[in-house]
Amino acid sequence: MDTLDVSRKKNVEGEIQDHPDNQINAEGQEEKLKYPKSVFFIVSNEFCERFSFYGMRTVLSLYLTTMLNYNEDTATMIYHIFTCFVYFFPLFGAILSDSWLGKFNTIFYVSIIYAIGQLILATSAIPVTGLGLLDARALSLFGLFLIALGTGGIKPCVSAFGGDQFVLPQQERYLTMFFSVFYFSINTGSLISTLLTPTLRELECWNDKCFSLAFLVPAVLMIVSIVVFAMGKRLYKIVKPKGNLIVTVSQCIGHAIYNKVKNKTKRDHWLDHADDVYERTLIDDIKASLRVLKMFIPLPIFWALYDQQGSQWTFQATRMDGQIGNWVLLPDQMQAVNPLLIMIFIPLFETCIYPMFAKIHLINTPLRKLVVGGFLASVAFIAAGLVELKLETTYPILPSEGLAQIRIFNTMNCTVHLKLDMPDKTKTATINGLKMYEMLYVKANETGVTLPYTADFIDCNLAGYTSLRDNVKGNITGKEADATSWIITPIGLDDNNKYIDKVDKPANGNPMVRGVIYLTEEHSNATLTFKYNNEVTTSIPMTKLKSSLVELDKPGEYDIYLDKTLLKKAETFKLGGVYTVLGSLVKLRDNDVLAAKIITVTKPNEVHIAYLLPQYIIITMAEVMFSITGLEFAFTQAPKSMKSLLQAGWLLSNAFGNLIVVIIKGSHPFQRQMYEIFLYAGLMAVVMAIFTVMSIFYKYVDIPDEEEDGTTYGAIPLDEKKGNDNPAYKEDEK
């Protein structure tokens, strides 16, 4: 059958616009509309952009702690402030899109800002730039701000721009498929980048962790996304902006409130007071928008829970054992479980779970899916709290206010006896050769604590350390809320031989090690090296007594050398452990004698990272039911003139969710992380109970049929209990 290419078709905004997909046969009958080719460019662009964003964000928390030296609480706050901006800026993206630039231009121009931010962040992470810590922090935060501005400006436009490519209601099933494919592309990009960028940051660049490369690859993908998006321009259905919508809506609402207060007359709806100036269509659209936005009010708490996968859950993973056979799952790679499960769960829910529940009239409307998704998020945090409860038994005891920690390392291969005058009693300490003695709860005030001691070196004299004397007296000091380590050497217990130690779990999980070895003068500049599979992976310069605390590249068995001399063979260093190589090289009877042992200062991680799987599985199920449904709900329930605005409103709920995390973390309500986790679980359950009541009274708005002359029928409210009759959510019965 011959066809004529007729290029007039209505878009979802109700406009008539040229488009090549509309075909009319020789008899004048319209053929079935084809799936828009333009959406493939949009989906490809989204894949690259999400690869860029999630790849960068996956390693962000550990970058803040390991490279910029923020503590976990501060890093968590920065992470969620950044995420808050990411989801706040969509409001401005919607204004730009609907009022001035249009969706295409907004996406294109803001993406350029986005790419610049990624490049700045990558530059700030290069150690050889000469930036000091404060400069690196400032440049990194500026790059993060530009990234938030860029991705935030894009967010309200991309999914709505994709929706603009379809004709409704004829292509409603295609539209639903698009949202699933769209979300699938997001998680495909997220999965690949979440696995890749942690591996990149583990590489060594300029004798340091290669966070710069981990940020550079996402920056390149962002540039690729801009190119891909621009390539599809000739195929896009581009809806022209219709004026400053936000200002108009604000003015209309303000005018309605003014008239209501001034006239005090009763109307069916308070917005009806604005009908003396504004058109009925605008007022009705605002009413419909407010009805949807009202449903968003309880939802931010979901995002407060969901986005902690990249902060608190990642820090939780750093304190767990990721060893799987000969391979180690990095803490930030655990985030890849979410997009991997998303790719599995989306088709599973669409083809099995939802149809099964629809047959028994359960979870068969969007709001019901949102309710169930919210409660699942609460359950996920209950699971996370139980894991934290198990982890607490493995955490080191940290220095705290009113207390000091004191550790004494004996570098000699002989026993030393100490009598310590404690504030309330005399304590005897026997420190065997190449061992550590620790006091974890020494009372101290702001000026610290001083413990007089008497040392007995009689065993060492017998062992050949002839310079040592018996009944040596002195003072051991400690600082409040610090871990002070003292070193016994062949010349005694010297006040110069002390340092402030780190006893907390390593920031990114890899084992950390320090050398404490007494060296003779000719060996005072020796180097402590660690060989993994006969290759030197870590070198630590020694002073006469100790080295700095250094992170090993990975857990495993290492051969330890002092210069070319083998010190220890096949010593195992595990994730989360803090170790000290303790020993001495002294001249006895004209011979150099080398002795050393590995001391575990902080026990390694004992709980396997697999214990995190239940909470990741549950939160991903919650995401499928909550995020995908909410995205579609915001689009289909929005008036035609305000779709980007409602998309921004949906994303704005995410911003407030991250703000909740910042407020709670900044207020430090609990000393134990477990209580904070259970607080989120309880808040989520209470809020979703309120949302359940609200959803009962919500009336769905049907997508209006479109006439050939461009007119539309009025909105049809559907009761929540009959929401499954809405054609937007009903399977084709043909």
Side-chain angles (χ1 to χ4, degrees), residues 180-450:
S180 292
V181 173
F182 183 79
Y183 212 73
F184 189 83
S185 71
I186 290 175
N187 286 279
T188 303
S190 172
L191 173 62
I192 298 172
S193 63
T194 303
L195 290 171
L196 178 63
T197 53
T199 304
L200 296 177
R201 61 104 178 151
E202 277 292 288
L203 300 176
E204 186 174 323
C205 299
W206 300 285
N207 297 319
D208 212 331
K209 293 295 182 182
C210 206
F211 279 94
S212 54
L213 180 61
F215 290 141
L216 179 61
V217 172
V220 172
L221 262 292
M222 188 60 224
I223 295 171
V224 171
S225 76
I226 298 173
V227 174
V228 170
F229 182 71
M231 287 172 60
K233 183 176 182 180
R234 65 184 183 84
L235 296 175
Y236 296 142
K237 184 195 305 181
I238 298 177
V239 178
K240 296 180 180 179
K242 298 181 177 180
N244 197 328
L245 179 64
I246 302 296
V247 173
T248 302
V249 170
S250 300
Q251 289 175 339
C252 181
I253 292 174
H255 186 70
I257 295 173
Y258 175 80
N259 280 350
K260 178 178 173 61
V261 173
K262 180 181 179 181
N263 300 329
K264 299 186 182 300
T265 58
K266 289 187 177 181
R267 303 292 297 272
D268 292 338
H269 191 281
W270 63 271
L271 270 172
D272 293 334
H273 288 281
D275 61 4
D276 60 329
V277 174
Y278 295 93
E279 296 179 356
R280 172 54 53 184
T281 302
L282 175 63
I283 294 174
D284 290 341
D285 282 353
I286 296 175
K287 288 180 183 179
S289 297
L290 292 179
R291 288 176 62 249
V292 179
L293 289 173
K294 182 177 70 174
M295 299 302 296
F296 292 170
I297 293 175
L299 303 186
I301 187 63
F302 174 86
W303 302 112
L305 276 65
Y306 174 80
D307 280 329
Q308 289 189 59
Q309 292 179 78
S311 57
Q312 296 291 6
W313 285 16
T314 296
F315 291 133
Q316 199 175 41
T318 64
R319 296 184 278 271
M320 304 180 78
D321 181 10
Q323 193 82 37
I324 304 174
N326 294 325
W327 180 65
V328 177
L329 180 66
L330 300 174
D332 36 359
Q333 282 182 322
M334 193 64 191
Q335 297 176 55
V337 172
N338 175 257
L340 176 62
L341 290 176
I342 280 287
M343 296 170 67
I344 297 172
F345 284 167
I346 287 178
L348 180 64
F349 273 71
E350 292 293 339
T351 59
C352 298
I353 306 298
Y354 288 153
M356 180 179 67
F357 279 103
K359 289 181 180 179
I360 57 176
H361 304 290
L362 291 175
I363 320 180
N364 57 343
T365 64
L367 291 179
R368 291 176 185 175
K369 294 176 184 177
L370 289 172
V371 167
V372 175
F375 279 115
L376 283 175
S378 178
V379 174
F381 262 66
I382 292 175
L386 295 176
V387 170
E388 185 66 23
L389 185 61
K390 187 174 182 66
L391 281 174
E392 281 189 349
T393 62
T394 70
Y395 288 165
I397 299 171
L398 301 179
S400 57
E401 292 184 6
L403 295 173
Q405 289 188 1
I406 296 176
R407 289 173 175 80
I408 304 173
F409 292 90
N410 184 2
T411 64
M412 300 183 296
N413 198 15
C414 61
T415 301
V416 176
H417 304 278
L418 293 179
K419 284 185 179 180
L420 298 166
D421 294 334
M422 307 294 289
D424 52 352
K425 62 179 179 180
T426 299
K427 189 171 186 177
T428 300
T430 299
I431 311 174
N432 294 325
L434 300 176
K435 293 291 185 179
M436 172 189 71
Y437 180 79
E438 57 183 3
M439 295 177 287
L440 303 180
Y441 302 101
V442 181
K443 292 182 180 179
N445 53 33
E446 294 179 355
T447 59
V449 62
T450 299

Side-chain angles (χ1 to χ4, degrees), residues 9 42 60 107 132 154 172 178 262-263 293 451 470 489 498 506 562 593-594 620 629 638 656-657 679 684:
K9 180 175 83 167
I42 297 172
L60 178 59
I107 295 171
I154 292 171
E172 176 60 28
F178 163 74
K262 180 181 179 181
N263 300 329
L293 289 173
L451 304 178
D470 299 336
T489 72
K498 66 178 181 179
L562 187 64
V593 178
L594 183 61
T620 305
T629 305
F656 286 113
L679 171 65
M684 187 77 240

Side-chain angles (χ1 to χ4, degrees), residues 65 70-77 312 315 318-319 504 507:
T65 53
Y70 290 110
N71 61 43
E72 283 190 13
D73 286 350
T74 304
T76 297
M77 293 178 66
Q312 296 291 6
F315 291 133
T318 64
R319 296 184 278 271
D504 198 0

Side-chain angles (χ1 to χ4, degrees), residues 471-526:
N471 298 321
V472 176
K473 297 181 181 294
N475 293 316
I476 292 176
T477 59
K479 294 179 63 177
E480 181 188 20
D482 268 332
T484 305
S485 291
W486 287 73
I487 306 171
I488 300 175
T489 72
I491 62 173
L493 189 57
D494 196 312
D495 186 60
N496 294 321
N497 298 339
K498 66 178 181 179
Y499 59 93
I500 301 300
D501 210 350
K502 173 183 170 59
V503 297
D504 198 0
K505 293 281 186 179
N508 67 355
N510 282 336
M512 301 191 75
V513 63
R514 180 199 304 276
V516 174
I517 303 175
Y518 183 80
L519 302 172
T520 54
E521 192 66 34
E522 59 266 32
H523 294 92
S524 59
N525 294 321

Side-chain angles (χ1 to χ4, degrees), residues 60 117 202 218 269 420 509 579 583 590 607 672 725 727:
L60 178 59
E202 277 292 288
H269 191 281
L420 298 166
Y579 302 90
D590 299 325
V607 180
R672 296 171 64 184
D725 292 332

